[in-house]
Amino acid sequence: MKNILIGGLAALACGGIIIYTFETERSFLQLLFGFLIFVIPITFIGSFKSKVGSFAFVFTTLIIGYVVSKFLFHDFWLGVVLAGIIGGAASYLRVEKYHPFSATNYEEMAKEKFKNKNK
């Protein structure tokens, strides 16, 4: 139920932002660039465990923020908000920690299951 509610609210917010962009004659291209640049980093923000990863993310965001502000691409931020909604929802609901496959652990688990099954 929680997933349905969050998905519905995210869809309403995203639809509202896109409709607002068209109705106020904002730049859809700037919105698209803001979305495309930030959707992947926001989706995987919980995966940044190192100083280098967080440094790269913050530094890149700072430089992009400066360029966007310098050249007055204000509609870019609508795309960042859109990326925050979609990427944040995806990060919260779907992105799980990666566990590398271990053949040794799999063999041990299979042996245990086989042993328990034959008892």
Side-chain angles (χ1 to χ4, degrees):
M1 181 65 177
K2 179 178 80 169
N3 292 351
I4 294 170
L5 183 62
I6 291 173
L9 291 175
L12 285 173
C14 291
I17 289 171
I18 292 172
I19 291 169
Y20 172 79
T21 301
F22 284 122
E23 290 295 320
T24 57
E25 297 179 4
R26 306 267 180 177
S27 173
F28 187 73
L29 191 59
Q30 288 180 23
L31 177 137
L32 185 63
F33 281 136
F35 176 77
L36 292 176
I37 289 172
F38 281 98
V39 71
I40 299 296
I42 290 174
T43 302
F44 295 103
I45 196 139
S47 301
F48 292 132
K49 301 290 185 204
S50 69
K51 296 174 191 171
V52 176
S54 62
F55 172 82
F57 177 68
V58 171
F59 181 76
T60 305
T61 302
L62 179 70
I63 297 301
I64 290 171
Y66 171 74
V67 170
V68 166
S69 297
K70 178 78 173 172
F71 293 106
L72 303 174
F73 297 140
H74 298 300
D75 302 335
F76 178 87
W77 299 114
L78 291 171
V80 174
V81 170
L82 195 64
I85 293 168
I86 293 174
S91 176
Y92 180 73
L93 296 175
R94 298 285 179 215
V95 178
E96 298 176 7
K97 290 186 178 182
Y98 171 72
H99 299 287
F101 177 75
S102 171
T104 307
N105 289 344
Y106 180 77
E107 287 174 3
E108 290 175 12
M109 184 180 68
K111 287 177 186 176
E112 284 294 320
K113 281 185 178 180
F114 183 73
K115 217 189 264 186
N116 291 337
K117 187 178 179 182
N118 289 334
K119 283 186 178 182

